[in-house]
Amino acid sequence: MAKNTRAKKQVEAPQVDIGAEIFASLRELEKIKGIPVDYMVERLKQALTNAYRKDREDRRDVPADNVVVELNEKGLSMHIVKTVVEELEDTALEIHVDAARNIDPNAQVGQPISIPVDIAKFGRIAAQTAKQVVIQGIREAERGVMYESYSSKAQELLTGTVLRIDPASGDMFIRIGQGNDASDAVLRASEQIPGEKHKEGDLIRVYVLEVHKASRGPLIHVSRTHPNLVRRLFELETPEIAEGQVEVRNIAREAGSRSKMAVRAAMEGIDPVGACVGPRGGRVGAVVEELGGEKIDIVVWSEDPCEYVRAALSPADVISVTLIPGQKACRCVVPDDQLSLAIGKEGQNARLAARLTGYKIDIKPLSQVEAEAPAQETESEEN
């Protein structure tokens, strides 16, 4: 009976009564930094396991699976699992059957047995190792929380500060957020508005393309050329868009030069174009200024492809639009004096209209159509 009593005491001891203190600290950490208690408990257990493995007197690096750490609000304890044997060969992983039965009278050869470890005897190196693992765990958790926070902001508009500009590649590095929530964003040269100049310290609005995990925290790839940058800027300036009264249907953009945006009213009594332009052009003017003077045409979206194409060729007047059977294409007739306006400089207006509507657009002046009409009539009569 005395032997059983002794064995019971050895199995339960020693226990360090710091569980409540540790959990109180971890809960406070969760409130401040958003790091889950369960995550940090696992990191602490890993730290203590590594500390024991590295600070053994026999210098044996025992497998992690053989070290069991129990941490809860009642306290902290540790056991090492060894195999019961008749002939002892490896003291780090084996225990003689006689010694095992001092711990558990029912111990049998070949079975594993848990042997209590005195945590208080850990040396300075082990304690430092545990501390570093915990610190690393906190940093990894912070980066994970930051990644989750910023990954939810993909396809959103953010404001950052220009940190530096790579003179070789032209890539711009931007600091998003402040304090512990700050992260770095990369604005590639290819995603910058042509001709736009920035310097270190400038505040800049960017559209978030995607977020990647990196060793120092989330790496955010952003853009100033993406069409959705225009969309998000109008959402900020136009309450009717933010509230769902006006819907942005499509945007075609050549960054730094010109954009076309198609909008529709989601409810009766709303002028979608007027809402985006704003009183005295204040809303569209604010977006144009943010984009460095980029021109923006706002047109009404229509279910009727002909009406949609007609509006998309704005500011040019269009006499008629005819769909070409079997193709997603159309022919547009414009007054002679409107031809250059409809096509635009270097074909830009027609090109953007085609991208906005999804239709291939063939533009002809009225005089050419009228000249071709008699010839076509003659040909039809002959046939």
Side-chain angles (χ1 to χ4, degrees), residues 1-64:
M1 182 66 68
K3 188 173 182 179
N4 289 343
T5 302
R6 179 187 174 192
K8 183 177 180 182
K9 288 181 179 179
Q10 287 181 344
V11 170
E12 293 183 350
Q15 186 175 70
V16 182
D17 188 18
I18 59 173
E21 180 181 348
I22 288 176
F23 274 83
S25 300
L26 295 183
R27 289 195 185 95
E28 187 66 23
L29 189 64
E30 185 175 39
K31 289 180 182 178
I32 296 173
K33 295 185 177 295
I35 303 172
V37 171
D38 291 345
Y39 175 85
M40 284 310 303
V41 167
E42 290 303 314
R43 297 298 303 196
L44 279 167
K45 290 167 69 174
Q46 180 183 345
L48 290 167
T49 299
N50 289 340
Y52 174 80
R53 295 170 63 201
K54 293 179 181 298
D55 199 45
R56 289 173 49 83
E57 293 180 358
D58 58 10
R59 303 302 179 188
R60 282 291 305 278
D61 189 6
V62 299

Side-chain angles (χ1 to χ4, degrees), residues 358-380:
Y359 278 80
K360 183 178 180 180
I361 302 174
D362 179 23
I363 304 174
K364 291 187 177 182
L366 179 59
S367 60
Q368 181 181 342
V369 173
E370 290 176 339
E372 292 174 349
Q376 291 176 352
E377 291 177 0
T378 301
E379 184 178 342
S380 297

Side-chain angles (χ1 to χ4, degrees), residues 317-321 331-335 362-367 369:
D317 295 327
V318 180
I319 296 174
S320 66
V321 179
R331 294 189 181 92
C332 298
V333 180
V334 301
D362 179 23
I363 304 174
K364 291 187 177 182
L366 179 59
S367 60
V369 173

Side-chain angles (χ1 to χ4, degrees), residues 3-4 21 66 74 87 91 95 99 164 178 193-194 209 235 240 255-257 263 270 338 362 374 380:
K3 188 173 182 179
N4 289 343
E21 180 181 348
N66 286 64
K74 294 181 180 179
E87 296 184 6
T91 57
I95 182 172
R164 67 183 181 89
Q178 296 180 345
I193 296 176
L209 293 174
E235 287 176 357
E240 289 86 347
S257 179
V263 296
I270 299 291
Q338 296 283 299
D362 179 23
S380 297

